[in-house]
Amino acid sequence: DSGVTQTPKHLITATGQRVTLRCSPRSGDLSVYWYQQSLDQGLQFLIQYYNGEERAKGNILERFSAQQFPDLHSELNLSSLELGDSALYFCASSGRQGGDEQYFGPGTRLTVT
Amino acid sequence: AQSVTQLDSQVPVFEEAPVELRCNYSSSVSVYLFWYVQYPNQGLQLLLKYLSGSTLVKGINGFEAEFNKSQTSFHLRKPSVHISDTAEYFCAVAQGPNAGGTSYGKLTFGQGTILTVHP
């Protein structure tokens, strides 16, 4: 158990819909990262928040957004969902802005039908 | 920008045999290097990391890796594998500190190597 929790574990929704994925980092960790894992793209970095502020952005679509709240949990919002958004979404946390190991949650499997 | 190439998509091996999973990276700046393992239907677990210091890094479950800056490689090795090592292994790179000492956490992953250990 990494100490990072993600909910829900599975999510099935229809095209055009909007969903919210939630992540609670390890106790004391200030950085939260979101990654997408799909068969065709592999593991890709989406976005990082550090102590409530956006720190780095990767290949995140404009239809996707995220935020980190004062209690340090984070939410990833995916809207206007398309079939191609079906993937495993991982959250990871670390203590610093960078230069340290990241601990991954169990992931949320999103299926868009 | 960094990139990572894992040279083998699948590696079959017999139990108790040694194994090497190969990883090469590309970066114009200093890097931090990681190996993660993913068991079926689970998240990623850190095996080992190279941040600085000794280029030979030991991790969990008997794995080790060697950072070779001249060859831009970070190959993962285990002298004797077990059935329970069957999993997918990911090599990842993060940008090292800039001139101001700021580090960046974004991980760039390789495509993964599926290690299958046969009895």
Side-chain angles (χ1 to χ4, degrees):
Chain A
D1 184 355
S2 66
V4 179
T5 61
Q6 289 186 250
T7 56
K9 193 163 182 164
H10 300 278
L11 202 46
I12 301 175
T13 190
T15 54
Q17 295 298 305
R18 172 191 169 94
V19 297
T20 298
L21 313 184
R22 183 188 168 103
C23 168
S24 292
R26 291 188 324 153
S27 176
D29 281 356
L30 298 177
S31 267
V32 169
Y33 306 81
W34 287 97
Y35 294 88
Q36 179 194 60
Q37 185 178 32
S38 63
L39 281 174
D40 51 345
Q41 299 289 328
L43 266 161
Q44 291 210 319
F45 167 75
L46 295 178
I47 197 165
Q48 177 197 1
Y49 278 82
Y50 176 75
N51 204 19
E53 307 240 336
E54 183 182 302
R55 180 81 177 93
K57 221 168 185 176
N59 298 325
I60 187 165
L61 299 170
E62 283 196 16
R63 301 183 284 108
F64 295 2
S65 65
Q67 54 184 323
Q68 186 179 27
F69 294 87
D71 66 352
L72 299 176
H73 90 271
S74 177
E75 292 181 356
L76 179 67
N77 300 296
L78 316 176
S79 62
S80 303
L81 284 167
E82 302 174 0
L83 296 177
D85 298 327
S86 295
L88 200 47
Y89 291 84
F90 286 111
C91 166
S93 75
S94 73
R96 307 200 300 257
Q97 294 186 65
D100 56 347
E101 59 266 38
Q102 295 175 27
Y103 293 88
F104 281 75
T108 293
R109 183 170 294 282
L110 174 65
T111 303
V112 183
T113 61
Chain B
Q2 293 85 41
S3 66
V4 178
T5 302
Q6 291 184 241
L7 296 152
D8 306 293
S9 58
Q10 297 194 54
V11 172
V13 65
F14 286 107
E15 196 173 17
E16 296 183 11
V19 70
E20 177 179 80
L21 306 185
R22 297 179 294 167
C23 171
N24 284 93
Y25 69 92
S26 171
S27 177
S28 58
V29 297
S30 66
V31 294
Y32 299 125
L33 293 156
F34 306 84
W35 276 98
Y36 283 87
V37 60
Q38 185 177 28
Y39 299 101
N41 300 314
Q42 293 189 30
L44 283 82
Q45 181 182 9
L46 180 69
L47 275 179
L48 48 79
K49 62 184 185 286
Y50 171 78
L51 302 181
S52 65
S54 172
T55 57
L56 182 62
V57 180
K58 294 193 183 296
I60 63 170
N61 300 341
F63 285 94
E64 65 180 32
E66 185 152 22
F67 170 52
N68 188 319
K69 190 175 180 180
S70 62
Q71 299 197 5
T72 61
S73 68
F74 191 55
H75 301 331
L76 181 70
R77 301 185 182 99
K78 186 169 182 177
S80 175
V81 293
H82 303 289
I83 298 284
S84 59
D85 292 323
T86 295
E88 189 161 16
Y89 292 78
F90 292 93
C91 181
V93 63
Q95 184 177 328
N98 62 16
T102 300
S103 295
Y104 300 89
K106 166 195 167 182
L107 289 175
T108 299
F109 285 90
Q111 285 300 100
T113 298
I114 297 173
L115 174 65
T116 304
V117 181
H118 299 282

